[in-house]
Every structure is written in structure tokens, then in C-alpha cells.
Amino acid sequence: YFTRVIYSSYGRGYGGGYGRRRGSWSVDWPKADIQFLYGLKRITNIDAYEFDNPVELSNPDLRRYPFLYMLEVGAMQLTPPEVEGLHDYLMAGGFLFVDDFWGTYEWQNFEWEIHKVLPGYEIVELPLDHPLFSNFYVIEEILQIPNVGNATRGYATYEQDGYVPHVRAIFNEDGRLLVLINWNTDLGDAWEWAENPFYPLPYSNFAYQMAVNAIVYAMSH
């Protein structure tokens, strides 16, 4: 299951499920998720559920899903049950893939929130020689994926002061990768618009490669 995290946020309202007002969690949903799954099933032999699967962090069934996707975390504002749910999920062996947030302010907000979940855990740059970058595709460079408007018009790839893309990570005490953080980039837009003839192929290729590698790594470690 490609599971999208439903979480509380400010500015766009609480994203508590299908029947409530959507929050930041729902950006690009469900098309990005479903379209990514088309590619994943075509490229790999992973037996993936073919539809979207949004789940709340406080849902007791969260541990059924080994891979979580969370985006727009610059507006994230987790409740105590969400903090507890995500903490317990990660400690039990889960994997969190973070995407689509930009600049210093959004980073500071994400850092504050994720340290509620994992207090005392260090956030580090993931070096390109880490096995995640070579377990399916060989990734030798981190591309910055702009939003779809900038990508199709050839405008600047960055937003706010997020000029440089980063792939960062949080590991546990035993070296297990808990959280993979894609900052200053928008992989979800590349999945969502990959079929658009005006969308640049290098962006969609890289976005699929990053996510496929992350899933293969998460499922095999």
C-alpha cells in the first residue's frame, strides 16, 4: 500500500479524513499517488495495491503499512495522538518518506514537529554512497524538482529561499533508516504530471527513481 499520511496542519485546516475539510496532507491527492503506483507496478515486481490509501496517524491500523508518504510538512501541526501514533509506528519498524516543502521557515516547522515524534534523534544528510541510492536505480545526483507550473514553463526550480535540494535522513541507534526527507523539491508533482507532454522527462524520471529506490530499500531493510 502506498499510504499517504493524514495529519493536522494550520492555514489550510485539519485534514482528518475523506469527509472533512482537506489540509496540507491532501496536496496532489489522489492523482499523484495513483499515477506513481502505475509506474511502480510496471517497473518492479512489487505486489502493490493499485489505489490511494490515506490513513490518519492516530489510526490503530497504521502499522499494517510499511511505507508512509507525507508532504507539505512546512504547515504540519501534529496533535498529541498523532505524535504518539507516528512515534510508535517508526519504533515498530515503519518508514516515513517526506516530500514537497521549501525554504528555511518550512524546514524549521518540520524540524520542530518531527523532534516531538523523535526527540533527541539527529537529522543528517544522506550521502550518495548510501545503498538507498543504488539498490534499484543508480542515482548519482540530487535534482531539484519544481512545481508543475515552473517545470512546464521553464521557470526557476526553487521556491522561497529553498535554492538547493537536500535528501536528509533520521536513523535509529542501530542504524536503521526511519525517515527519508526530500527538502526543497516536489517529487509528487512529477508523479502527478508525468504524462503531460510539456512536463520535462528528467524531472519525472528522477522523481520515480527516488521513490522506487526508497520503497525497495524500506521493504528490504
Side-chain angles (χ1 to χ4, degrees), residues 201-212:
L201 184 61
Y203 294 154
S204 56
N205 277 350
F206 176 80
Y208 271 89
Q209 290 171 5
M210 272 297 302
V212 168

Side-chain angles (χ1 to χ4, degrees), residues 87 91 118-121 170-178:
H87 172 84
M91 293 298 99
L118 297 170
Y121 283 73
I170 301 175
F171 294 89
N172 73 358
E173 297 84 352
D174 299 321
R176 180 172 67 85
L177 181 54
L178 306 177

Side-chain angles (χ1 to χ4, degrees), residues 54-117:
V55 177
E56 293 178 330
L57 286 174
S58 56
N59 189 318
D61 288 333
L62 189 67
R63 292 191 195 182
R64 292 182 57 200
Y65 310 113
F67 182 93
L68 298 183
Y69 175 64
M70 175 185 279
L71 82 169
E72 290 275 353
V73 293
M76 180 168 64
Q77 195 169 44
L78 298 179
T79 65
E82 290 171 330
V83 168
E84 181 180 2
L86 183 55
H87 172 84
D88 291 349
Y89 169 84
L90 294 171
M91 293 298 99
F95 184 95
L96 177 64
F97 186 85
V98 181
D99 177 35
D100 191 12
F101 69 118
W102 301 80
T104 303
Y105 174 78
E106 293 191 3
W107 173 265
Q108 289 172 344
N109 184 78
F110 167 73
E111 190 174 32
W112 175 263
E113 294 294 317
I114 201 64
H115 280 152
K116 293 180 187 176
V117 176

Side-chain angles (χ1 to χ4, degrees), residues 19-188:
R20 303 178 186 174
R21 186 167 50 143
R22 292 189 187 182
S24 297
W25 70 267
S26 63
V27 172
D28 303 329
W29 173 75
K31 185 187 175 190
D33 307 33
I34 295 171
Q35 193 145 283
F36 171 73
L37 283 162
Y38 291 156
L40 179 70
K41 289 170 69 69
R42 188 169 64 245
I43 293 164
T44 74
N45 63 355
I46 293 174
D47 181 19
Y49 178 64
E50 62 187 75
F51 299 109
D52 59 305
N53 187 50
V55 177
E56 293 178 330
L57 286 174
S58 56
N59 189 318
D61 288 333
L62 189 67
R63 292 191 195 182
R64 292 182 57 200
Y65 310 113
F67 182 93
L68 298 183
Y69 175 64
M70 175 185 279
L71 82 169
E72 290 275 353
V73 293
M76 180 168 64
Q77 195 169 44
L78 298 179
T79 65
E82 290 171 330
V83 168
E84 181 180 2
L86 183 55
H87 172 84
D88 291 349
Y89 169 84
L90 294 171
M91 293 298 99
F95 184 95
L96 177 64
F97 186 85
V98 181
D99 177 35
D100 191 12
F101 69 118
W102 301 80
T104 303
Y105 174 78
E106 293 191 3
W107 173 265
Q108 289 172 344
N109 184 78
F110 167 73
E111 190 174 32
W112 175 263
E113 294 294 317
I114 201 64
H115 280 152
K116 293 180 187 176
V117 176
L118 297 170
Y121 283 73
E122 185 181 6
I123 301 175
V124 298
E125 294 286 337
L126 192 67
L128 283 171
D129 62 359
H130 187 275
L132 185 143
F133 291 115
S134 58
N135 64 9
F136 194 89
Y137 293 104
V138 176
I139 297 173
E140 298 178 333
E141 179 186 7
I142 304 304
L143 296 185
Q144 184 169 59
I145 310 302
N147 65 59
V148 61
N150 287 1
T152 55
R153 294 177 177 86
Y155 294 164
T157 58
Y158 63 88
E159 295 180 29
Q160 302 178 47
D161 64 342
Y163 304 114
V164 178
H166 293 267
V167 178
R168 293 178 172 172
I170 301 175
F171 294 89
N172 73 358
E173 297 84 352
D174 299 321
R176 180 172 67 85
L177 181 54
L178 306 177
V179 185
L180 188 68
I181 306 158
N182 298 278
W183 176 43
N184 295 334
T185 196
D186 189 352
L187 305 178

